[in-house]
Amino acid sequence: MTFRARHLLGIEPLHPTEITELLDTADRYAELNRQGRAPRDVLAGLTQINMFFENSTRTQASFEIAGKRLGADVMNMAMQASSVKKGETLIDTALTLNAMRPDLLVVRHPNSGAVDLLAQKVNCAVLNAGDGRHEHPTQALLDGLTIRRAKGRLHRLSIAICGDIAHSRVARSNIMLLGKMENRIRLIAPPTLMPSGVAEFGVELFDDMEEGLRDVDVVMMLRLQKERMDGGFIPSEREYFHRYGLDAAKLSHARPAAIVMHPGPMNRGVEIDGTIADDINRSVIQEQVEMGVAVRMAAMDLLARNARMGRDETGVMA
Ligand code: ASP
């Protein structure tokens, strides 16, 4: 086993061989899921707590299903973002939960870095389910697996990530993962939504969809994250769709076999035309959701194994 980490906090610290191990394990789970043969004993006797300080539909459901499929006892804490203050309150919450001795803690938080902070205070494995604009590692892994299955490889592909890059942890984690796997990454965004300094990651930058999408193998669209904007980023949603929304005309510049992705939730008619999103010949959006469960099963399985190894050697968790 090469993935020896105690937590899954981001893609940044992972080595390509660790990414491959996570994806290979997830691929096996994807097949077992399709056959209805997921092994219930993998996480049996373990307690998984999901703490979502920010709204989520698919990620929370996906982690819950993944844990249950592998036999964990799963608990969802109802965390209202409005009732949670930063700093000490978060740490207090972590310490309280830690005292209940969970094995896996799945955390989403609106502040970048909050999940790393929490991980330093607890004894169990922590999985980052999205922290602010920072990272969303399981999303990038499920995207990587979806691409690998659709294209037969996850290297030397030309991949466009389009839209609200500035506010997107999905973009950040994907830039890292796809870069580590040696793909050619193009970022397409209006200048107001392109983060400064991003060129350092070895990506090509475009502010025009037609140019940016030319001959790409993968088109990854991003949601316009209105909740993270404090005004003035786009002229209007109509204008945004006109220039950056993915429709048939813009997609025609990509390779004929190019796949279309979106992490969800989608703003139809804003960043993507509904007919493209639903076109089963181009869109792999539902496959992304399916791979999400498999990737989360793999991540929790490997982290639980690492925790067991830590305990075996020292009697306490490493
Ligand atoms: N669901 C993804 C996230 O939590 C993408 C999005 O919200 O637009 O980051």
Side-chain angles (χ1 to χ4, degrees):
M1 248 172 82
T2 58
F3 178 71
R4 288 296 197 82
R6 188 176 159 197
H7 306 295
L8 180 62
L9 299 175
I11 298 297
E12 196 167 13
L14 297 183
H15 188 271
T17 57
E18 295 180 289
I19 294 172
T20 301
E21 186 183 14
L22 277 156
L23 297 185
D24 289 347
T25 310
D27 215 2
R28 286 195 289 276
Y29 277 129
E31 290 314 314
L32 290 171
N33 285 341
R34 285 193 176 179
Q35 296 160 13
R37 294 200 299 119
R40 293 253 166 203
D41 56 342
V42 171
L43 300 180
L46 301 188
T47 303
Q48 172 191 338
I49 301 182
N50 294 338
M51 282 168 77
F52 280 66
F53 294 89
E54 207 185 52
N55 290 341
S56 166
T57 315
R58 73 214 75 226
T59 306
Q60 186 168 347
S62 179
F63 266 112
E64 183 173 353
I65 291 170
K68 286 183 172 162
R69 252 178 218 173
L70 295 179
D73 294 314
V74 186
M75 188 201 145
N76 288 306
M77 303 250 315
M79 319 293 308
Q80 276 309 318
S82 56
S83 68
V84 174
K85 299 193 192 77
K86 285 173 252 165
E88 285 204 342
T89 307
L90 177 68
I91 291 166
D92 276 348
T93 312
L95 293 177
T96 305
L97 281 172
N98 196 42
M100 298 181 197
R101 301 198 161 272
D103 301 282
L104 296 152
L105 209 50
V106 179
V107 188
R108 169 170 288 190
H109 198 280
N111 295 121
S112 306
V115 183
D116 292 47
L117 188 70
L118 192 143
Q120 291 164 25
K121 305 286 171 191
V122 297
N123 299 320
C124 63
V126 176
L127 293 102
N128 182 1
D131 64 323
R133 304 174 187 192
H134 178 226
E135 283 240 32
H136 193 351
T138 55
Q139 177 72 47
L141 288 163
L142 75 88
D143 290 337
L145 183 58
T146 306
I147 295 170
R148 199 173 82 168
R149 287 168 66 104
K151 293 279 153 204
R153 65 182 203 273
L154 188 56
H155 59 273
R156 283 197 233 114
L157 292 167
S158 179
I159 300 171
I161 305 178
C162 321
D164 186 358
I165 300 185
H167 299 104
S168 178
R169 54 196 175 207
V170 174
R172 221 182 115 78
S173 290
N174 264 305
I175 290 167
M176 265 170 299
L177 187 146
L178 298 169
K180 283 175 197 274
M181 304 314 277
E182 294 179 12
N183 295 286
R184 190 165 159 205
I185 305 170
R186 299 169 155 215
L187 304 184
I188 314 174
T192 48
L193 295 176
M194 186 72 88
S196 55
V198 76
E200 284 166 27
F201 289 95
V203 294
E204 290 173 82
L205 307 184
F206 296 85
D207 67 1
D208 179 82
M209 287 287 272
E210 192 174 316
E211 265 178 61
L213 290 181
R214 193 157 297 140
D215 294 331
V216 299
D217 301 292
V218 177
V219 183
M220 191 181 284
M221 299 308 298
L222 299 171
R223 182 174 65 91
L224 204 53
Q225 303 215 354
K226 290 175 246 171
E227 77 278 18
R228 298 193 206 282
M229 296 184 187
D230 35 26
F233 285 91
I234 57 160
S236 73
E237 288 185 358
R238 219 168 137 227
E239 174 71 10
Y240 183 81
F241 181 71
H242 175 66
R243 293 212 52 200
Y244 295 98
L246 187 67
D247 56 12
K250 295 189 191 86
L251 184 58
S252 70
H253 298 282
R255 288 236 163 102
I259 54 169
V260 174
M261 308 179 75
H262 192 300
M266 266 184 283
N267 293 310
R268 287 171 185 258
V270 179
E271 69 262 355
I272 189 164
D273 184 37
T275 48
I276 300 281
D278 298 333
D279 179 352
I280 53 164
N281 296 315
R282 306 306 294 269
S283 163
V284 292
I285 295 171
Q286 294 308 320
E287 170 108 358
Q288 287 175 271
V289 178
E290 183 186 353
M291 292 309 121
V293 176
V295 154
R296 288 161 184 135
M297 290 166 83
M300 291 195 288
D301 172 5
L302 295 182
L303 287 174
R305 283 193 229 179
N306 291 349
R308 261 180 236 121
M309 282 164 69
R311 276 198 190 103
D312 287 346
E313 280 159 25
T314 60
V316 288
M317 228 166 106

